[in-house]
Amino acid sequence: MGKQSTEMLKGTLEGIVLATLAVRPAYGYEITARLRDQGFSDIVEGTVYALLVRVEQRGLVDIEKVPSEKGPPRKVYSLNALGSEYLEEFWRNWSFLAERIEQLRHNINNTQEEGK
């Protein structure tokens, strides 16, 4: 992934992680693995864990500590009602931006075609 793509991802990663949790609860490494399975191969665990701390502090997720076979209990994150509202807003904003960007791209392509 290039620098531009990485910067775009930073701006949307919170919504992406919340969308992942909307499917089913997960712990940090599991979230990272799911994202990688979805094609976000450059995402590092540290970035996801830092984001989870932020969404936890903002009250967007609930946490359950689950025993782990290999050490301390794992924090399993699940989307709560406030997080669901936030995710709905994220999708509205995403749709708005995606539509405007696509419209801009279409207008540029049409202008370029007319200039030939």
Side-chain angles (χ1 to χ4, degrees):
M1 212 182 320
K3 182 172 174 40
Q4 187 179 53
S5 184
T6 299
E7 290 301 314
M8 288 179 170
L9 182 60
K10 282 182 186 177
T12 57
L13 189 56
E14 187 173 87
I16 293 167
V17 167
L18 293 177
T20 300
L21 292 174
V23 174
R24 73 176 185 271
Y27 55 94
Y29 178 78
E30 186 180 9
I31 294 167
T32 304
R34 283 191 208 167
L35 293 175
R36 288 178 180 159
D37 288 345
Q38 294 291 321
F40 297 103
S41 56
D42 291 345
I43 289 180
V44 293
E45 283 178 64
T47 301
V48 172
Y49 283 110
L51 188 144
L52 289 170
V53 168
R54 288 195 305 273
V55 297
E56 177 183 357
Q57 290 172 342
R58 292 173 47 211
L60 303 177
V61 293
D62 291 331
I63 295 171
E64 179 183 354
K65 291 194 177 187
V66 176
S68 171
E69 297 174 6
K70 298 179 180 178
R74 290 182 173 156
K75 280 184 170 182
V76 175
Y77 298 85
S78 60
L79 198 62
N80 62 24
L82 186 59
S84 293
E85 289 175 22
Y86 184 89
L87 182 58
E88 286 178 30
E89 182 181 350
F90 170 82
W91 288 128
R92 282 192 302 274
N93 289 326
W94 177 261
S95 294
F96 175 83
L97 288 171
E99 288 169 9
R100 296 312 167 287
I101 290 168
E102 189 57 37
Q103 183 178 30
L104 179 62
R105 187 174 98 173
H106 179 75
N107 290 343
I108 289 170
N109 287 341
N110 284 344
T111 301
Q112 290 173 344
E113 289 295 320
E114 290 171 4
K116 289 185 178 180

